[in-house]
């Protein structure tokens, strides 16, 4: 219920920004500049009421999340104290501490943290309704918007960024191998000098360092390509929207205020899509901790 109450905020805010710009430019187009103070005052009051509503919902939601975290910590603590001594003694103390604090905090972050479930629901709601509002204003401009968003998602997240997880794992493995290669140089320095094996170990360290360097270079290359595709499709989509809109204005099918209105809605759709992708990644990472909490409670 709290998520549903929070969901309309972003789409209403995006619509208010777009409608305000359309109203202002409509007054200028119709030479009704004397209406501007009333228009701006009215939208300002609506904006204040909207943020008051949003703050009220978030305060209730934050209290609910805090209560849930406290209840989970109590349940995990009670469950740990009820386990047999042999089972508790057989595990490291850090594991129990992580279960009670780190895993629970990550689980609660799915409910109350930035770019997690609340923002996922909000982004879905915002994307759907903003697309509907833009469809009513101009189906052609909505088609141009999604014609750039869908290829961007395919290229950036399915092709460019997909290998990053494997590359990061290779980087961590190379760093561990470097540490393993350096350790004998310090711990067994006398034996290495005795058998004249220093050059061999240094050569191995050099090889692992080069492997780490190549892997990190690939990671930075993929990130650079991701940034390039983001800018390419972002600016390209915006220019296509403007060109299509100006041609419609020239043909008398749309006013400048309508184009600016659709431009604001396009930004809302794009922000929602990017938020969806980020939220999905964060939720997958936190879901591992939720699974550990459930295992602790069911043990």
């Amino acid at each position: 219920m709290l998520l549903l109450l929070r969901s309309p905020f972003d789409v209403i805010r995006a619509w208010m920004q777009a409608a305000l710009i359309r109203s202002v430019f409509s007054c200028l187009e119709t030479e009704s500049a004397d209406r501007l103070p009333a228009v701006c005052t009215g939208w300002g009051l609506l904006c204040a009421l909207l943020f008051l509503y949003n703050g009220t919902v978030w305060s209730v939601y934050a209290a609910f999340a805090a209560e849930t975290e406290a209840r989970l910590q109590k349940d995990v603590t009670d469950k740990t104290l009820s386990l047999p001594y042999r089972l508790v003694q057989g595990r490291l103390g850090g594991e129990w501490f992580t279960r009670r604090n780190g895993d629970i905090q990550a689980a609660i972050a799915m409910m109350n943290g930035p770019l997690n479930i609340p923002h996922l629901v909000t982004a879905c709601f915002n994307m759907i309704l903003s697309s509907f509002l833009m469809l009513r204003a101009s189906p052609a401009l909505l088609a141009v918007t999604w014609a750039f968003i869908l290829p961007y998602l395919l290229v950036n997240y399915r092709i460019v960024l997909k290998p990053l997880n494997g590359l990061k794992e290779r980087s961590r493995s190379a760093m561990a191998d470097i540490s393993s290669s350096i350790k004998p140089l310090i711990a067994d320095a006398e034996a290495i000098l005795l058998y004249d094996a220093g050059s061999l170990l240094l050569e191995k360290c050099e090889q692992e360092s080069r492997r780490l360097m190549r892997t990190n270079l690939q990671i930075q290359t993929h990130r650079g390509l991701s940034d390039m595709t983001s800018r390419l499709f972002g600016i390209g989509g915006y220019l296509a929207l403007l060109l299509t809109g100006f041609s419609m204005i020239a043909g008398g099918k749309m006013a400048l205020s309508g184009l600016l209105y659709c431009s604001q809605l396009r930004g809302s759709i794009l922000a929602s899509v990017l938020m969806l992708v980020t939220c999905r990644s964060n939720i997958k990472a936190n879901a591992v901790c939720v699974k550990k909490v459930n295992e602790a409670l069911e043990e």
Side-chain angles (χ1 to χ4, degrees), residues 56-227:
T56 303
V57 173
W58 267 118
S59 63
V60 177
Y61 192 91
F64 170 74
E67 292 175 2
T68 304
E69 182 177 3
R71 187 170 63 251
L72 276 177
Q73 288 181 340
K74 183 179 182 301
D75 292 343
V76 171
T77 300
D78 293 343
K79 184 66 178 180
T80 303
L81 294 175
S82 67
L83 293 174
Y85 175 77
R86 182 182 303 175
L87 180 60
V88 177
Q89 188 67 18
R91 295 179 181 175
L92 297 175
E95 181 178 350
W96 299 108
F97 182 80
T98 301
R99 281 187 176 188
R100 189 186 181 279
N101 294 283
D103 292 343
I104 291 178
Q105 289 176 0
I108 295 300
M110 290 183 65
M111 297 173 49
N112 200 34
L115 297 178
N116 273 276
I117 290 178
H119 295 89
L120 178 72
V121 176
T122 301
C124 289
F125 199 81
N126 189 24
M127 180 183 67
I128 293 171
L129 289 187
S130 294
S131 298
F132 175 74
L133 291 173
M134 195 170 179
L135 177 65
R136 292 188 59 187
S138 175
L141 295 183
L142 177 64
V144 170
T145 297
W146 280 103
F148 280 82
I149 291 178
L150 294 177
Y152 164 72
L153 293 176
L154 176 64
V155 172
N156 196 46
Y157 292 99
R158 288 294 181 180
I159 299 176
V160 177
L161 294 180
K162 190 175 182 179
L164 271 185
N165 289 333
L167 290 173
K168 289 179 180 178
E169 186 62 33
R170 285 168 53 187
S171 177
R172 285 192 292 266
S173 175
M175 181 63 72
D177 291 340
I178 291 174
S179 301
S180 300
S181 301
I182 293 176
K183 185 177 179 180
L185 292 172
I186 301 173
D188 304 318
E190 295 181 358
I192 291 173
L193 289 174
L194 178 62
Y195 292 100
D196 195 21
S199 59
L200 181 62
L201 290 176
L202 287 174
E203 183 179 353
K204 184 179 180 182
C205 289
E206 181 183 358
Q207 292 175 353
E208 296 298 336
S209 297
R210 290 182 180 276
R211 182 163 71 94
L212 175 64
M213 181 186 66
R214 287 193 296 268
T215 304
N216 288 340
L217 181 61
Q218 290 177 329
I219 291 174
Q220 296 302 323
T221 300
H222 280 271
R223 287 175 175 170
L225 289 174
S226 174
D227 185 65

Side-chain angles (χ1 to χ4, degrees), residues 2-18:
L2 290 173
L3 286 178
L4 292 177
L5 290 174
R6 169 64 177 80
S7 298
F9 173 76
D10 281 0
V11 66
I12 294 177
R13 184 184 62 177
W15 171 75
M16 287 176 60
Q17 291 175 344

